[in-house]
Amino acid sequence: MSARQHDNSRQHDSRGPHTGRRQRIGRGLAAAVGALAVLVAGLTLPAAAEPETPVVYTSGSTATRANGLGFDTCDAPSLAALNAWRGTSPYDVVNIYFGGINRGCAAQPNLTPTWVRGAVSAGWKLLPTYFGYQPTCMFGTKEHRYTATDATARGSSDGADAVARAKALGVLSGSGLYADVEHYDRTDTSCRTAVRRYVSAWTKALHGSGYLAGVYVHQDSGLRDLSDTYSSTSYARPDAVWMARWDGNSSLTGWPTAPDSQWSYYQRAKQYQGDHSETWGGVTLDIDSDNVRAPVATTARSYSVTSTSPLNARSGPASSYSVVRTYAPGATLAVVCQASGQRVDTTSVWDRLTDGTWVSDRYVSTPSSTGFSSTLPRCAYPGQVTVDLLTARTGPGTSYPAAGSPLPRGTLAYVTCQKVGTLIRTSRVWNQLRNGTWVSDYYVSNRSSTTWSAPVPRCP
């Protein structure tokens, strides 16, 4: 990516653009299963075989996904520039280069928690990218690199640093964070192993801290190698891929180096046009263009209590759950997402707060008092599908008809709530997905394959 101060070198090949991007930056469960439920709240990352490793979501979290065009620049644009582009440009996603030892435009004067809140409040979705250590065979001149020997350690440390930097900006658990892996020489077999080890360690580090793991890769190096080991039990599979191919084609299918069955559901982005300038709303920016259908940053939005008496915040989305704390009338609430729960007056929507508690949306100043608000994501806790093809059904059991096409292995199952259903192997838990269909929890990688997985709520 030219203007991105990436690298001085430009490596072309026959399939796509040069190496560089600008560094812009139970009750109801069987007795044996129920006995385990009390352990769930205290679970840490369990031992799990690759390639599907579970994400340990925090209580005040959710996954947010984008489905539209985006752009990236070296420095995060000013809020004034974003406001000028919002509504006048075709874009609703903006990339942020939020850390990494090899990041260009390291000063990032605009990239603060205040900027993040302002951008999200204006309607933008954020695509966080971390430019850390690079493979030793990377084309270009980046100084800080890893080999097969230290790739796992580098991936783990970069993942930990990325999580810390994301939290400092207010980018919450459930967010997708993307490691930038630049184009490299695939004839170096040791280096290819190093990339796979780095990405695997990055993925497990993020999952252990409650974040989804993405990678930015070149079509003819990183994407090809990760595709080749998609089902390998030696490496943790990232949740999403962002591929660079500057061919002007924004399609997220038909990629020549990864079949459509891989990273198939809100798990892909493509950088389809490199360095160029665009002017919208009277403001000109030097950008790359992207199509993003993938996890992005989750942030909290501020709303106020509208009730005339103290509002109860509960441990679940119904009045049957215990009261954790109360909020005074007019108090500010940090809302992460919304879910269905007990009906209260005009609405069945409940709001999840950053501390993991729930309040009825009836008494919160969100845009809607009767249904879901478009400005807030639905609460969802994705886990990768662990079998080659998983049947989704219209209800929580095998007696219900199949719904739609089976889900390929590695698909992100966006779980919104859980309910007791047909016993499948060791679990009676079934997951309702964002599209309303149901899958057995046994075949979704999360914190348990026998009982409930915190912090997923029970279905109403």
Side-chain angles (χ1 to χ4, degrees), residues 120-140:
V120 172
S121 295
W124 291 95
K125 292 186 175 180
L126 307 181
L127 184 63
T129 308
Y130 184 90
F131 203 103
Y133 282 87
Q134 293 298 304
T136 188
C137 61
M138 169 197 166
F139 294 118

mmCIF file with all atom_site columns, all heavy atoms in Angstrom, residues 120-140:
data_model
loop_
_atom_site.group_PDB
_atom_site.id
_atom_site.type_symbol
_atom_site.label_atom_id
_atom_site.label_alt_id
_atom_site.label_comp_id
_atom_site.label_asym_id
_atom_site.label_entity_id
_atom_site.label_seq_id
_atom_site.pdbx_PDB_ins_code
_atom_site.Cartn_x
_atom_site.Cartn_y
_atom_site.Cartn_z
_atom_site.occupancy
_atom_site.B_iso_or_equiv
_atom_site.pdbx_formal_charge
_atom_site.auth_seq_id
_atom_site.auth_comp_id
_atom_site.auth_asym_id
_atom_site.auth_atom_id
_atom_site.pdbx_PDB_model_num
ATOM 1   N N   . VAL A 1 120 ? -17.653 5.869   16.447 1.00 0.00 ? 120 VAL A N   1
ATOM 2   C CA  . VAL A 1 120 ? -18.742 4.895   16.561 1.00 0.00 ? 120 VAL A CA  1
ATOM 3   C C   . VAL A 1 120 ? -20.080 5.612   16.714 1.00 0.00 ? 120 VAL A C   1
ATOM 4   O O   . VAL A 1 120 ? -21.086 5.208   16.113 1.00 0.00 ? 120 VAL A O   1
ATOM 5   C CB  . VAL A 1 120 ? -18.479 3.942   17.736 1.00 0.00 ? 120 VAL A CB  1
ATOM 6   C CG1 . VAL A 1 120 ? -19.690 3.054   18.001 1.00 0.00 ? 120 VAL A CG1 1
ATOM 7   C CG2 . VAL A 1 120 ? -17.251 3.077   17.450 1.00 0.00 ? 120 VAL A CG2 1
ATOM 8   N N   . SER A 1 121 ? -20.109 6.675   17.487 1.00 0.00 ? 121 SER A N   1
ATOM 9   C CA  . SER A 1 121 ? -21.356 7.442   17.653 1.00 0.00 ? 121 SER A CA  1
ATOM 10  C C   . SER A 1 121 ? -21.836 8.023   16.332 1.00 0.00 ? 121 SER A C   1
ATOM 11  O O   . SER A 1 121 ? -23.040 8.173   16.108 1.00 0.00 ? 121 SER A O   1
ATOM 12  C CB  . SER A 1 121 ? -21.155 8.560   18.671 1.00 0.00 ? 121 SER A CB  1
ATOM 13  O OG  . SER A 1 121 ? -20.893 8.045   19.948 1.00 0.00 ? 121 SER A OG  1
ATOM 14  N N   . ALA A 1 122 ? -20.881 8.332   15.447 1.00 0.00 ? 122 ALA A N   1
ATOM 15  C CA  . ALA A 1 122 ? -21.243 8.882   14.134 1.00 0.00 ? 122 ALA A CA  1
ATOM 16  C C   . ALA A 1 122 ? -21.707 7.798   13.166 1.00 0.00 ? 122 ALA A C   1
ATOM 17  O O   . ALA A 1 122 ? -22.129 8.113   12.046 1.00 0.00 ? 122 ALA A O   1
ATOM 18  C CB  . ALA A 1 122 ? -20.047 9.620   13.547 1.00 0.00 ? 122 ALA A CB  1
ATOM 19  N N   . GLY A 1 123 ? -21.627 6.538   13.577 1.00 0.00 ? 123 GLY A N   1
ATOM 20  C CA  . GLY A 1 123 ? -22.122 5.453   12.737 1.00 0.00 ? 123 GLY A CA  1
ATOM 21  C C   . GLY A 1 123 ? -21.057 4.624   12.061 1.00 0.00 ? 123 GLY A C   1
ATOM 22  O O   . GLY A 1 123 ? -21.382 3.712   11.291 1.00 0.00 ? 123 GLY A O   1
ATOM 23  N N   . TRP A 1 124 ? -19.776 4.889   12.332 1.00 0.00 ? 124 TRP A N   1
ATOM 24  C CA  . TRP A 1 124 ? -18.711 4.114   11.712 1.00 0.00 ? 124 TRP A CA  1
ATOM 25  C C   . TRP A 1 124 ? -18.458 2.820   12.475 1.00 0.00 ? 124 TRP A C   1
ATOM 26  O O   . TRP A 1 124 ? -18.599 2.772   13.697 1.00 0.00 ? 124 TRP A O   1
ATOM 27  C CB  . TRP A 1 124 ? -17.408 4.924   11.683 1.00 0.00 ? 124 TRP A CB  1
ATOM 28  C CG  . TRP A 1 124 ? -17.461 6.083   10.745 1.00 0.00 ? 124 TRP A CG  1
ATOM 29  C CD1 . TRP A 1 124 ? -17.775 7.373   11.056 1.00 0.00 ? 124 TRP A CD1 1
ATOM 30  C CD2 . TRP A 1 124 ? -17.212 6.060   9.337  1.00 0.00 ? 124 TRP A CD2 1
ATOM 31  N NE1 . TRP A 1 124 ? -17.731 8.160   9.934  1.00 0.00 ? 124 TRP A NE1 1
ATOM 32  C CE2 . TRP A 1 124 ? -17.383 7.382   8.852  1.00 0.00 ? 124 TRP A CE2 1
ATOM 33  C CE3 . TRP A 1 124 ? -16.853 5.045   8.441  1.00 0.00 ? 124 TRP A CE3 1
ATOM 34  C CZ2 . TRP A 1 124 ? -17.214 7.716   7.519  1.00 0.00 ? 124 TRP A CZ2 1
ATOM 35  C CZ3 . TRP A 1 124 ? -16.675 5.384   7.106  1.00 0.00 ? 124 TRP A CZ3 1
ATOM 36  C CH2 . TRP A 1 124 ? -16.853 6.697   6.648  1.00 0.00 ? 124 TRP A CH2 1
ATOM 37  N N   . LYS A 1 125 ? -18.078 1.782   11.737 1.00 0.00 ? 125 LYS A N   1
ATOM 38  C CA  . LYS A 1 125 ? -17.559 0.563   12.347 1.00 0.00 ? 125 LYS A CA  1
ATOM 39  C C   . LYS A 1 125 ? -16.053 0.539   12.148 1.00 0.00 ? 125 LYS A C   1
ATOM 40  O O   . LYS A 1 125 ? -15.552 0.979   11.105 1.00 0.00 ? 125 LYS A O   1
ATOM 41  C CB  . LYS A 1 125 ? -18.230 -0.671  11.749 1.00 0.00 ? 125 LYS A CB  1
ATOM 42  C CG  . LYS A 1 125 ? -19.705 -0.746  12.128 1.00 0.00 ? 125 LYS A CG  1
ATOM 43  C CD  . LYS A 1 125 ? -20.373 -2.028  11.678 1.00 0.00 ? 125 LYS A CD  1
ATOM 44  C CE  . LYS A 1 125 ? -21.808 -2.080  12.200 1.00 0.00 ? 125 LYS A CE  1
ATOM 45  N NZ  . LYS A 1 125 ? -22.513 -3.323  11.784 1.00 0.00 ? 125 LYS A NZ  1
ATOM 46  N N   . LEU A 1 126 ? -15.356 0.034   13.147 1.00 0.00 ? 126 LEU A N   1
ATOM 47  C CA  . LEU A 1 126 ? -13.902 0.116   13.163 1.00 0.00 ? 126 LEU A CA  1
ATOM 48  C C   . LEU A 1 126 ? -13.272 -1.255  12.934 1.00 0.00 ? 126 LEU A C   1
ATOM 49  O O   . LEU A 1 126 ? -13.680 -2.244  13.544 1.00 0.00 ? 126 LEU A O   1
ATOM 50  C CB  . LEU A 1 126 ? -13.420 0.681   14.501 1.00 0.00 ? 126 LEU A CB  1
ATOM 51  C CG  . LEU A 1 126 ? -14.044 2.011   14.936 1.00 0.00 ? 126 LEU A CG  1
ATOM 52  C CD1 . LEU A 1 126 ? -13.452 2.457   16.269 1.00 0.00 ? 126 LEU A CD1 1
ATOM 53  C CD2 . LEU A 1 126 ? -13.843 3.082   13.878 1.00 0.00 ? 126 LEU A CD2 1
ATOM 54  N N   . LEU A 1 127 ? -12.262 -1.276  12.061 1.00 0.00 ? 127 LEU A N   1
ATOM 55  C CA  . LEU A 1 127 ? -11.538 -2.500  11.720 1.00 0.00 ? 127 LEU A CA  1
ATOM 56  C C   . LEU A 1 127 ? -10.130 -2.389  12.307 1.00 0.00 ? 127 LEU A C   1
ATOM 57  O O   . LEU A 1 127 ? -9.244  -1.788  11.700 1.00 0.00 ? 127 LEU A O   1
ATOM 58  C CB  . LEU A 1 127 ? -11.487 -2.654  10.197 1.00 0.00 ? 127 LEU A CB  1
ATOM 59  C CG  . LEU A 1 127 ? -10.863 -3.911  9.615  1.00 0.00 ? 127 LEU A CG  1
ATOM 60  C CD1 . LEU A 1 127 ? -11.662 -5.149  10.022 1.00 0.00 ? 127 LEU A CD1 1
ATOM 61  C CD2 . LEU A 1 127 ? -10.800 -3.820  8.090  1.00 0.00 ? 127 LEU A CD2 1
ATOM 62  N N   . PRO A 1 128 ? -9.889  -2.942  13.501 1.00 0.00 ? 128 PRO A N   1
ATOM 63  C CA  . PRO A 1 128 ? -8.604  -2.717  14.185 1.00 0.00 ? 128 PRO A CA  1
ATOM 64  C C   . PRO A 1 128 ? -7.499  -3.633  13.649 1.00 0.00 ? 128 PRO A C   1
ATOM 65  O O   . PRO A 1 128 ? -7.651  -4.856  13.610 1.00 0.00 ? 128 PRO A O   1
ATOM 66  C CB  . PRO A 1 128 ? -8.917  -3.066  15.650 1.00 0.00 ? 128 PRO A CB  1
ATOM 67  C CG  . PRO A 1 128 ? -10.405 -3.268  15.720 1.00 0.00 ? 128 PRO A CG  1
ATOM 68  C CD  . PRO A 1 128 ? -10.836 -3.669  14.345 1.00 0.00 ? 128 PRO A CD  1
ATOM 69  N N   . THR A 1 129 ? -6.369  -3.039  13.267 1.00 0.00 ? 129 THR A N   1
ATOM 70  C CA  . THR A 1 129 ? -5.258  -3.776  12.679 1.00 0.00 ? 129 THR A CA  1
ATOM 71  C C   . THR A 1 129 ? -3.980  -3.540  13.470 1.00 0.00 ? 129 THR A C   1
ATOM 72  O O   . THR A 1 129 ? -3.645  -2.400  13.798 1.00 0.00 ? 129 THR A O   1
ATOM 73  C CB  . THR A 1 129 ? -5.043  -3.366  11.212 1.00 0.00 ? 129 THR A CB  1
ATOM 74  O OG1 . THR A 1 129 ? -6.286  -3.480  10.521 1.00 0.00 ? 129 THR A OG1 1
ATOM 75  C CG2 . THR A 1 129 ? -4.015  -4.258  10.542 1.00 0.00 ? 129 THR A CG2 1
ATOM 76  N N   . TYR A 1 130 ? -3.271  -4.632  13.727 1.00 0.00 ? 130 TYR A N   1
ATOM 77  C CA  . TYR A 1 130 ? -2.048  -4.608  14.536 1.00 0.00 ? 130 TYR A CA  1
ATOM 78  C C   . TYR A 1 130 ? -0.881  -5.024  13.661 1.00 0.00 ? 130 TYR A C   1
ATOM 79  O O   . TYR A 1 130 ? -0.867  -6.129  13.116 1.00 0.00 ? 130 TYR A O   1
ATOM 80  C CB  . TYR A 1 130 ? -2.208  -5.555  15.712 1.00 0.00 ? 130 TYR A CB  1
ATOM 81  C CG  . TYR A 1 130 ? -1.068  -5.567  16.692 1.00 0.00 ? 130 TYR A CG  1
ATOM 82  C CD1 . TYR A 1 130 ? -1.055  -4.715  17.788 1.00 0.00 ? 130 TYR A CD1 1
ATOM 83  C CD2 . TYR A 1 130 ? -0.009  -6.459  16.542 1.00 0.00 ? 130 TYR A CD2 1
ATOM 84  C CE1 . TYR A 1 130 ? -0.014  -4.729  18.711 1.00 0.00 ? 130 TYR A CE1 1
ATOM 85  C CE2 . TYR A 1 130 ? 1.039   -6.484  17.454 1.00 0.00 ? 130 TYR A CE2 1
ATOM 86  C CZ  . TYR A 1 130 ? 1.023   -5.619  18.538 1.00 0.00 ? 130 TYR A CZ  1
ATOM 87  O OH  . TYR A 1 130 ? 2.064   -5.647  19.445 1.00 0.00 ? 130 TYR A OH  1
ATOM 88  N N   . PHE A 1 131 ? 0.117   -4.114  13.521 1.00 0.00 ? 131 PHE A N   1
ATOM 89  C CA  . PHE A 1 131 ? 1.260   -4.384  12.648 1.00 0.00 ? 131 PHE A CA  1
ATOM 90  C C   . PHE A 1 131 ? 2.462   -4.769  13.506 1.00 0.00 ? 131 PHE A C   1
ATOM 91  O O   . PHE A 1 131 ? 3.300   -3.949  13.854 1.00 0.00 ? 131 PHE A O   1
ATOM 92  C CB  . PHE A 1 131 ? 1.572   -3.157  11.793 1.00 0.00 ? 131 PHE A CB  1
ATOM 93  C CG  . PHE A 1 131 ? 2.323   -3.475  10.542 1.00 0.00 ? 131 PHE A CG  1
ATOM 94  C CD1 . PHE A 1 131 ? 1.673   -3.505  9.326  1.00 0.00 ? 131 PHE A CD1 1
ATOM 95  C CD2 . PHE A 1 131 ? 3.670   -3.764  10.582 1.00 0.00 ? 131 PHE A CD2 1
ATOM 96  C CE1 . PHE A 1 131 ? 2.355   -3.794  8.160  1.00 0.00 ? 131 PHE A CE1 1
ATOM 97  C CE2 . PHE A 1 131 ? 4.371   -4.065  9.419  1.00 0.00 ? 131 PHE A CE2 1
ATOM 98  C CZ  . PHE A 1 131 ? 3.718   -4.095  8.209  1.00 0.00 ? 131 PHE A CZ  1
ATOM 99  N N   . GLY A 1 132 ? 2.514   -6.028  13.872 1.00 0.00 ? 132 GLY A N   1
ATOM 100 C CA  . GLY A 1 132 ? 3.556   -6.518  14.750 1.00 0.00 ? 132 GLY A CA  1
ATOM 101 C C   . GLY A 1 132 ? 4.743   -7.106  14.004 1.00 0.00 ? 132 GLY A C   1
ATOM 102 O O   . GLY A 1 132 ? 5.059   -6.718  12.880 1.00 0.00 ? 132 GLY A O   1
ATOM 103 N N   . TYR A 1 133 ? 5.403   -8.071  14.625 1.00 0.00 ? 133 TYR A N   1
ATOM 104 C CA  . TYR A 1 133 ? 6.556   -8.734  14.010 1.00 0.00 ? 133 TYR A CA  1
ATOM 105 C C   . TYR A 1 133 ? 6.141   -9.387  12.698 1.00 0.00 ? 133 TYR A C   1
ATOM 106 O O   . TYR A 1 133 ? 4.996   -9.843  12.538 1.00 0.00 ? 133 TYR A O   1
ATOM 107 C CB  . TYR A 1 133 ? 7.119   -9.787  14.960 1.00 0.00 ? 133 TYR A CB  1
ATOM 108 C CG  . TYR A 1 133 ? 7.957   -9.199  16.077 1.00 0.00 ? 133 TYR A CG  1
ATOM 109 C CD1 . TYR A 1 133 ? 7.367   -8.778  17.264 1.00 0.00 ? 133 TYR A CD1 1
ATOM 110 C CD2 . TYR A 1 133 ? 9.331   -9.048  15.924 1.00 0.00 ? 133 TYR A CD2 1
ATOM 111 C CE1 . TYR A 1 133 ? 8.129   -8.228  18.289 1.00 0.00 ? 133 TYR A CE1 1
ATOM 112 C CE2 . TYR A 1 133 ? 10.104  -8.501  16.941 1.00 0.00 ? 133 TYR A CE2 1
ATOM 113 C CZ  . TYR A 1 133 ? 9.502   -8.093  18.121 1.00 0.00 ? 133 TYR A CZ  1
ATOM 114 O OH  . TYR A 1 133 ? 10.267  -7.549  19.124 1.00 0.00 ? 133 TYR A OH  1
ATOM 115 N N   . GLN A 1 134 ? 7.093   -9.431  11.765 1.00 0.00 ? 134 GLN A N   1
ATOM 116 C CA  . GLN A 1 134 ? 6.850   -9.967  10.433 1.00 0.00 ? 134 GLN A CA  1
ATOM 117 C C   . GLN A 1 134 ? 7.739   -11.190 10.182 1.00 0.00 ? 134 GLN A C   1
ATOM 118 O O   . GLN A 1 134 ? 8.791   -11.348 10.817 1.00 0.00 ? 134 GLN A O   1
ATOM 119 C CB  . GLN A 1 134 ? 7.134   -8.896  9.380  1.00 0.00 ? 134 GLN A CB  1
ATOM 120 C CG  . GLN A 1 134 ? 6.169   -7.724  9.428  1.00 0.00 ? 134 GLN A CG  1
ATOM 121 C CD  . GLN A 1 134 ? 4.738   -8.132  9.161  1.00 0.00 ? 134 GLN A CD  1
ATOM 122 O OE1 . GLN A 1 134 ? 4.441   -8.733  8.137  1.00 0.00 ? 134 GLN A OE1 1
ATOM 123 N NE2 . GLN A 1 134 ? 3.841   -7.826  10.102 1.00 0.00 ? 134 GLN A NE2 1
ATOM 124 N N   . PRO A 1 135 ? 7.338   -12.061 9.264  1.00 0.00 ? 135 PRO A N   1
ATOM 125 C CA  . PRO A 1 135 ? 8.160   -13.245 8.959  1.00 0.00 ? 135 PRO A CA  1
ATOM 126 C C   . PRO A 1 135 ? 9.518   -12.845 8.392  1.00 0.00 ? 135 PRO A C   1
ATOM 127 O O   . PRO A 1 135 ? 9.639   -11.848 7.666  1.00 0.00 ? 135 PRO A O   1
ATOM 128 C CB  . PRO A 1 135 ? 7.314   -14.007 7.940  1.00 0.00 ? 135 PRO A CB  1
ATOM 129 C CG  . PRO A 1 135 ? 6.368   -13.015 7.372  1.00 0.00 ? 135 PRO A CG  1
ATOM 130 C CD  . PRO A 1 135 ? 6.089   -12.030 8.464  1.00 0.00 ? 135 PRO A CD  1
ATOM 131 N N   . THR A 1 136 ? 10.504  -13.644 8.687  1.00 0.00 ? 136 THR A N   1
ATOM 132 C CA  . THR A 1 136 ? 11.866  -13.311 8.265  1.00 0.00 ? 136 THR A CA  1
ATOM 133 C C   . THR A 1 136 ? 12.013  -13.246 6.752  1.00 0.00 ? 136 THR A C   1
ATOM 134 O O   . THR A 1 136 ? 12.887  -12.557 6.235  1.00 0.00 ? 136 THR A O   1
ATOM 135 C CB  . THR A 1 136 ? 12.865  -14.326 8.855  1.00 0.00 ? 136 THR A CB  1
ATOM 136 O OG1 . THR A 1 136 ? 14.195  -13.897 8.606  1.00 0.00 ? 136 THR A OG1 1
ATOM 137 C CG2 . THR A 1 136 ? 12.650  -15.712 8.271  1.00 0.00 ? 136 THR A CG2 1
ATOM 138 N N   . CYS A 1 137 ? 11.144  -13.946 6.023  1.00 0.00 ? 137 CYS A N   1
ATOM 139 C CA  . CYS A 1 137 ? 11.218  -13.934 4.561  1.00 0.00 ? 137 CYS A CA  1
ATOM 140 C C   . CYS A 1 137 ? 10.269  -12.919 3.939  1.00 0.00 ? 137 CYS A C   1
ATOM 141 O O   . CYS A 1 137 ? 9.989   -12.971 2.741  1.00 0.00 ? 137 CYS A O   1
ATOM 142 C CB  . CYS A 1 137 ? 10.927  -15.326 4.005  1.00 0.00 ? 137 CYS A CB  1
ATOM 143 S SG  . CYS A 1 137 ? 9.270   -15.938 4.410  1.00 0.00 ? 137 CYS A SG  1
ATOM 144 N N   . MET A 1 138 ? 9.770   -11.987 4.724  1.00 0.00 ? 138 MET A N   1
ATOM 145 C CA  . MET A 1 138 ? 8.892   -10.941 4.195  1.00 0.00 ? 138 MET A CA  1
ATOM 146 C C   . MET A 1 138 ? 9.623   -10.120 3.138  1.00 0.00 ? 138 MET A C   1
ATOM 147 O O   . MET A 1 138 ? 10.790  -9.777  3.287  1.00 0.00 ? 138 MET A O   1
ATOM 148 C CB  . MET A 1 138 ? 8.455   -10.012 5.327  1.00 0.00 ? 138 MET A CB  1
ATOM 149 C CG  . MET A 1 138 ? 7.769   -8.738  4.868  1.00 0.00 ? 138 MET A CG  1
ATOM 150 S SD  . MET A 1 138 ? 7.735   -7.493  6.177  1.00 0.00 ? 138 MET A SD  1
ATOM 151 C CE  . MET A 1 138 ? 7.270   -6.039  5.226  1.00 0.00 ? 138 MET A CE  1
ATOM 152 N N   . PHE A 1 139 ? 8.940   -9.824  2.048  1.00 0.00 ? 139 PHE A N   1
ATOM 153 C CA  . PHE A 1 139 ? 9.482   -8.909  1.045  1.00 0.00 ? 139 PHE A CA  1
ATOM 154 C C   . PHE A 1 139 ? 9.485   -7.495  1.637  1.00 0.00 ? 139 PHE A C   1
ATOM 155 O O   . PHE A 1 139 ? 8.468   -7.028  2.140  1.00 0.00 ? 139 PHE A O   1
ATOM 156 C CB  . PHE A 1 139 ? 8.640   -8.924  -0.223 1.00 0.00 ? 139 PHE A CB  1
ATOM 157 C CG  . PHE A 1 139 ? 8.664   -10.235 -0.952 1.00 0.00 ? 139 PHE A CG  1
ATOM 158 C CD1 . PHE A 1 139 ? 7.492   -10.962 -1.127 1.00 0.00 ? 139 PHE A CD1 1
ATOM 159 C CD2 . PHE A 1 139 ? 9.843   -10.755 -1.469 1.00 0.00 ? 139 PHE A CD2 1
ATOM 160 C CE1 . PHE A 1 139 ? 7.495   -12.164 -1.808 1.00 0.00 ? 139 PHE A CE1 1
ATOM 161 C CE2 . PHE A 1 139 ? 9.853   -11.962 -2.157 1.00 0.00 ? 139 PHE A CE2 1
ATOM 162 C CZ  . PHE A 1 139 ? 8.687   -12.669 -2.327 1.00 0.00 ? 139 PHE A CZ  1
ATOM 163 N N   . GLY A 1 140 ? 10.611  -6.833  1.576  1.00 0.00 ? 140 GLY A N   1
ATOM 164 C CA  . GLY A 1 140 ? 10.662  -5.481  2.092  1.00 0.00 ? 140 GLY A CA  1
ATOM 165 C C   . GLY A 1 140 ? 11.727  -5.314  3.152  1.00 0.00 ? 140 GLY A C   1
ATOM 166 O O   . GLY A 1 140 ? 12.608  -6.164  3.329  1.00 0.00 ? 140 GLY A O   1
#
